[in-house]
Amino acid sequence: MTDKPDITSLFEPRTVAVVGASHNPEKIGYKIVENIIACGYAGRICPINPEGGEILKLPVYKNVGDVDGEIDVAVITIPSKYVYDAVKACADKGVKYSLIISSGFSEVGDYESEKKIVSCAQEGGMRIIGPNIFGMYVAKSSFNATFGTRDVRPGGIAIITQSGALGISLMGKTAVMNIGLSGMFSLGNKSDVDESDLLEYLITDDSTRIIMMYVEGVKNGGRLVELLKKATSKKPVIVIKAGRSKRGAMAAASHTGSLAGSDAVFSDIMKQCGVIRAESIQEALDACKYISNSPQPKGENSVIITNGGGMGVMAADACEKYSVNLYDNIEDLKRTFSKVVPAFGSVKNPVDLTGQATLENYKTAIDAALANKDIHTVICLGCETAFFDASKIAEMIKGLYSNSKPAKPLVYSFFGGARIEDCITSLKAVDIPAFSDVYEAVSCMGVLYENYRNTAYATESDQKEEQGIDDPSIDVIVKKALGEGRHFLLSYEAEKVMAAAGIRMPKSFLAKDFDEAVKFAEKIGYPVALKVVSKDIIHKSDAGGVALNLENRQEVLDAYQVILYNCKKAKPDAVIEGVSVSEMMKKEIETIAGAVRDKSFGPVVMYGLGGVYVEILNDVAFRSFPLGRKDILKMINETKSSQLLMGARGEKRKDVGSVVDAVSKLGTILARHEEISEIEINPLMVYEDGQGVMAPDVRILLSKGPEAK
Ligand code: COA
């Protein structure tokens, strides 16, 4: 394998070949050449077609090898069965990047041919984008090698899309919305170049101010996480959510596995990276447009100005949904707005100018908000009334932008008939963020704030911690279980893993008979718990293999016999190794901590509210691992139940530091021991500050090889 070519050759190619350039204007191979020419590409264009001749007045080469000089990019647009030969010819010629438009590879089940073309390219030091793409557009080199629209506006937004059809339509849509693109990249089957490769370039690309991504599946999640973190510390990244199947979750063997099988992992990891999630294309485009045109807020105080109470209340609801903080210094609000709010209006936030508010009132209120240094953003609303002259309002607002843009972020939402719609259209035409739906307006403000907070957080560095874990002991336990053909650890083995990691468990001993059970119970001190130990019985409670709160010798003897009887009855052929006798723990806050190996992102840790209702309550958060203490704390704080740890309702604060340690240790175990696929402590009992955590029940699953989840 040769070194990878410099990615600048992809973004600023000097020579491009189109393999499969067609003489027929109805074919993709013709339209691509046409688009490259029409968008003003200044480099050299070499159409390749066995017939030779001319296409769009360009001389045609019969073979790529016939082109004199270097070729940076080859666009391949011929039927899939000929692609391998074309790739080989390009690699032999020393082409640096091949954009393979052709469909008919892994997306239809032909993984073999796709692998073949990738290894052929790699041998020749060439990289592949696609196959199954619509091409790419780069504004700085006026390079439109797509079969999409030619009407693209150059600007500051780069779009990376896994879906081709969506990408093509986005080119048209962005033009209609007056959104300028720095680039549009279709990744198709991602056989070689993926979003991380493009991000690496786009992070430092000055012409790209915002990155928008449509992602369906992630292959190399660890690298993507690193690059997204880097990217968001420099510019906003907006990702459109694509659903993740719940099927995997149904088959999962643990709570961690089943909770992690949903969209939750992807969503939380995007949050971890400071990426803004959009629910729809429209939301993403609105967000891109708003962020690129708006100044950054200088603080968290937002004010709603309205002429309708109902609309104001709806906006307040939307502010809660999109985490926009409403300014509530009532004295300051009174000082700022009392001159414009009539006695029957309200100076509280939302500031209600009432239904009789005129153009002048709006202007005074907006000016007052802009002049107050403690008000950082403004949400301006209007319902159509006889006093609310929509056309004049549009002019007044445009006036705010006529010299230079206002120094503070504003959004507008107006609701009413045809004149209001005209007002919105005329504002939008000059890139002023006006919407008829209040939620659309506030969602833009929410995105701006998300970006503001991400940037603030990105500047704080979080040191990853080295955890002291006895790895060789864990290796021995895991090897033994795998050697016995097991893909889970028995409870006493899991206990040893916890001991190796220094996670406290209740004292526990394995008793082989009654006498031992009593001896251990007395050593530990009553009350104790008894649990069957058998590799054939995983769900101990279901088999009647658990007895809790045993207060004395007699209760231990009785429970021992009952457990053996129940388990023999439930599973007559089970080999029972004995019964564990363990300390009964003090009950406290029951949380759950876990780590799971995600197919896309590798080790992922989880924290949440624990106990038997964990799936129903679903109050959990995930993070890609490794991560430092601050990030773990942030993950904990994301759960609703985190308040329980901080000392809700007058209770003492719990030992959050020990929870952070436990989560970090679980992640470390998974990161260091490839064969472990899932660890879950449920419940993880959390005691008062300084008293640590306790892991009464640990479940550890081992990987079944490449097929394992
Ligand atoms: N080198 C150079 N040119 C070649 C060639 C080769 N090895 N083999 C064929 N050609 C020429 C053909 O002669 C033809 O030119 P002509 O029209 O002047 O005769 C041109 O390349 C195209 O080949 P053709 O066989 O006509 O294919 P096509 O245009 O019907 O289809 C694809 C080719 C790539 C468009 C088609 O196979 C395909 O995959 N379509 C789906 C594309 C898609 O949707 N991608 C994903 C988007 S999201």
Side-chain angles (χ1 to χ4, degrees):
M1 204 192 293
T2 352
D3 279 350
K4 287 179 179 170
D6 180 359
I7 196 138
T8 315
S9 327
L10 176 68
F11 287 84
E12 297 170 56
R14 288 155 305 173
T15 300
V16 56
V18 181
V19 180
S22 171
H23 296 89
N24 179 348
E26 296 309 313
K27 290 201 172 175
I28 288 181
Y30 182 91
K31 294 199 185 297
I32 287 180
V33 180
E34 200 178 26
N35 273 357
I36 297 175
I37 298 170
C39 286
Y41 171 65
R44 181 175 169 217
I45 308 165
C46 306
I48 317 288
N49 186 303
E51 265 183 51
E54 264 191 6
I55 294 174
L56 289 158
K57 300 199 179 121
L58 292 168
V60 174
Y61 297 82
K62 291 191 175 169
N63 295 296
V64 76
D66 298 344
V67 175
D68 48 316
E70 284 187 12
I71 299 174
D72 288 325
V73 170
V75 186
I76 298 181
T77 171
I78 53 177
S80 57
K81 60 183 173 193
Y82 305 123
V83 168
Y84 177 83
D85 288 339
V87 165
K88 173 98 182 61
C90 288
D92 289 346
K93 168 72 189 160
V95 171
K96 298 185 179 93
Y97 286 88
S98 271
L99 310 179
I100 305 182
I101 307 283
S102 321
S103 302
F105 293 91
S106 65
E107 84 284 4
V108 292
D110 188 356
Y111 294 90
E112 222 25 65
S113 304
E114 194 166 296
K115 261 195 215 152
K116 261 179 69 184
I117 56 170
V118 174
S119 40
C120 169
Q122 280 174 348
E123 274 163 32
M126 179 173 81
R127 299 209 64 186
I128 301 239
I129 296 110
N132 190 32
I133 61 169
F134 69 83
M136 68 181 256
Y137 163 75
V138 185
K140 71 160 91 160
S141 44
S142 306
F143 183 54
N144 183 358
T146 73
F147 56 96
T149 177
R150 262 178 256 163
D151 180 21
V152 205
R153 261 156 235 231
I157 295 166
I159 301 183
I160 303 174
T161 166
Q162 202 170 337
S163 159
L166 195 67
I168 295 197
S169 29
L170 269 171
M171 285 176 82
K173 181 76 180 172
T174 49
V176 168
M177 284 182 71
N178 199 19
I179 292 178
L181 299 180
S182 63
M184 166 71 84
F185 310 93
S186 155
L187 288 172
N189 300 357
K190 294 199 276 194
S191 68
D192 178 15
V193 169
D194 62 11
E195 46 278 274
S196 299
D197 295 304
L198 298 181
L199 275 177
E200 210 163 17
Y201 177 88
L202 294 172
I203 288 170
T204 55
D205 175 36
D206 290 339
S207 63
T208 298
R209 286 186 289 120
I210 300 178
I211 301 167
M212 174 172 149
M213 291 166 64
Y214 170 83
V215 184
E216 280 169 5
V218 173
K219 280 182 186 165
N220 186 356
R223 182 164 174 241
L224 182 64
V225 165
E226 283 316 307
L227 284 160
L228 281 174
K229 281 187 194 161
K230 236 189 236 173
T232 54
S233 69
K234 295 222 160 19
K235 44 193 92 173
V237 179
I238 298 172
V239 167
I240 298 159
K241 173 186 188 292
R244 273 168 55 127
S245 135
K246 284 200 170 151
R247 244 164 217 234
M250 274 150 50
S254 72
H255 296 297
T256 311
S258 87
L259 291 160
S262 66
D263 181 52
V265 170
F266 183 79
S267 179
D268 283 3
I269 291 179
M270 290 303 111
K271 217 180 283 172
Q272 172 184 1
C273 298
V275 166
I276 297 162
R277 282 285 301 273
E279 295 297 320
S280 67
I281 308 269
Q282 189 60 49
E283 196 179 289
L285 291 173
D286 284 341
C288 283
K289 183 160 175 158
Y290 187 50
I291 295 179
S292 63
N293 286 326
S294 170
Q296 271 274 60
K298 292 206 170 69
E300 294 272 359
N301 296 337
S302 196
V303 161
I304 299 170
I305 297 170
T306 182
N307 68 347
M311 210 168 168
V313 174
M314 271 198 296
D317 288 349
C319 284
E320 197 168 301
K321 177 172 176 191
Y322 295 109
S323 304
V324 175
N325 179 54
L326 290 180
Y327 186 46
D328 58 5
N329 180 335
I330 187 68
E331 285 310 313
D332 194 22
L333 286 165
K334 216 186 270 175
R335 264 195 308 276
T336 312
F337 296 108
S338 54
K339 56 184 173 260
V340 64
V341 173
F344 46 90
S346 170
V347 288
K348 282 189 199 149
N349 199 359
V351 176
D352 188 355
L353 306 177
T354 77
Q356 66 180 40
T358 61
L359 177 72
E360 269 314 306
N361 298 145
Y362 266 97
K363 181 151 175 30
T364 312
I366 292 173
D367 284 344
L370 292 177
N372 184 332
K373 68 173 177 23
D374 291 322
I375 294 173
H376 306 115
T377 56
V378 181
I379 298 163
C380 177
L381 314 174
C383 296
E384 189 173 27
T385 67
F387 301 94
F388 188 91
D389 187 331
S391 62
K392 287 198 179 135
I393 281 274
E395 289 319 306
M396 183 271 282
I397 291 170
K398 283 179 194 169
L400 294 172
Y401 295 76
S402 58
N403 293 326
S404 62
K405 286 185 181 170
K408 292 178 187 176
L410 290 119
V411 283
Y412 308 87
S413 174
F414 301 127
F415 197 69
R419 288 183 341 147
I420 287 279
E421 288 301 323
D422 290 346
C423 159
I424 292 172
T425 311
S426 82
L427 289 173
K428 276 192 164 162
V430 289
D431 291 338
I432 294 174
F435 305 88
S436 54
D437 180 16
V438 125
Y439 273 77
E440 271 183 59
V442 180
S443 115
C444 283
M445 191 61 90
V447 161
L448 195 72
Y449 269 118
E450 214 179 322
N451 180 48
Y452 165 75
R453 289 175 203 129
N454 285 342
T455 327
Y457 188 72
T459 55
E460 299 172 24
S461 68
D462 195 6
Q463 213 60 36
K464 312 271 177 304
E465 257 189 7
E466 261 306 298
Q467 290 292 351
I469 289 173
D470 177 2
D471 293 306
S473 299
I474 298 179
D475 278 336
V476 172
I477 298 161
V478 168
K479 251 189 211 134
K480 179 174 167 274
L482 287 172
E484 289 171 11
R486 272 186 287 126
H487 294 287
F488 60 91
L489 296 189
L490 293 170
S491 54
Y492 75 88
E493 294 170 328
E495 283 163 20
K496 283 186 183 164
V497 172
M498 289 298 101
I503 297 177
R504 194 154 59 108
M505 297 202 71
K507 278 180 229 145
S508 179
F509 300 94
L510 177 66
K512 301 274 189 188
D513 56 34
F514 304 124
D515 290 342
E516 269 192 356
V518 171
K519 189 179 88 193
F520 291 139
E522 279 163 11
K523 188 169 168 182
I524 293 166
Y526 294 106
V528 293
L530 260 56
K531 290 178 196 165
V532 68
V533 177
S534 165
K535 65 177 183 324
D536 304 314
I537 301 172
I538 301 180
H539 299 290
K540 297 185 274 280
S541 299
D542 296 352
V546 178
L548 303 174
N549 278 319
L550 306 170
E551 296 280 1
N552 52 46
R553 181 174 190 280
Q554 193 53 50
E555 284 187 16
V556 169
L557 288 175
D558 292 347
Y560 194 98
Q561 294 184 68
V562 170
I563 285 176
L564 288 192
Y565 173 80
N566 286 346
C567 292
K568 286 272 176 223
K569 198 168 161 212
K571 218 147 189 259
D573 54 347
V575 178
I576 295 173
E577 295 188 34
V579 172
S580 70
V581 183
S582 33
E583 172 190 356
M584 273 305 299
M585 288 176 322
K586 234 181 8 152
K587 269 209 157 206
E588 261 291 358
I589 306 291
E590 291 191 13
T591 65
I592 183 170
V596 59
R597 199 173 302 284
D598 184 85
K599 261 188 187 161
S600 308
F601 292 99
V604 166
V605 287
M606 180 189 83
Y607 167 82
L609 185 63
V612 283
Y613 299 121
V614 60
E615 270 134 350
I616 298 171
L617 299 171
N618 200 7
D619 183 26
V620 293
F622 297 91
R623 285 293 183 274
S624 158
F625 198 82
L627 73 166
R629 293 189 78 81
K630 269 190 214 150
D631 281 326
I632 297 179
L633 204 56
K634 205 170 175 223
M635 164 173 92
I636 294 172
N637 285 335
E638 236 165 58
T639 60
K640 288 191 209 93
S641 52
S642 64
Q643 288 174 34
L644 297 176
L645 295 186
M646 306 310 159
R649 307 187 70 108
E651 283 182 16
K652 284 196 176 144
R653 185 185 155 91
K654 305 294 177 275
D655 202 333
V656 183
S658 295
V659 179
V660 172
D661 279 341
V663 171
S664 174
K665 284 175 175 173
L666 295 187
T668 308
I669 296 173
L670 221 79
R672 292 194 193 155
H673 298 271
E674 281 281 307
E675 312 84 348
I676 298 181
S677 58
E678 279 180 42
I679 311 182
E680 176 179 288
I681 307 176
N682 185 27
L684 174 75
M685 219 58 95
V686 188
Y687 298 108
E688 281 176 9
D689 218 357
Q691 294 180 21
V693 295
M694 180 87 94
D697 204 358
V698 181
R699 183 183 283 238
I700 300 183
L701 303 181
L702 305 178
S703 138
K704 293 180 186 156
E707 290 303 310
K709 276 192 292 302

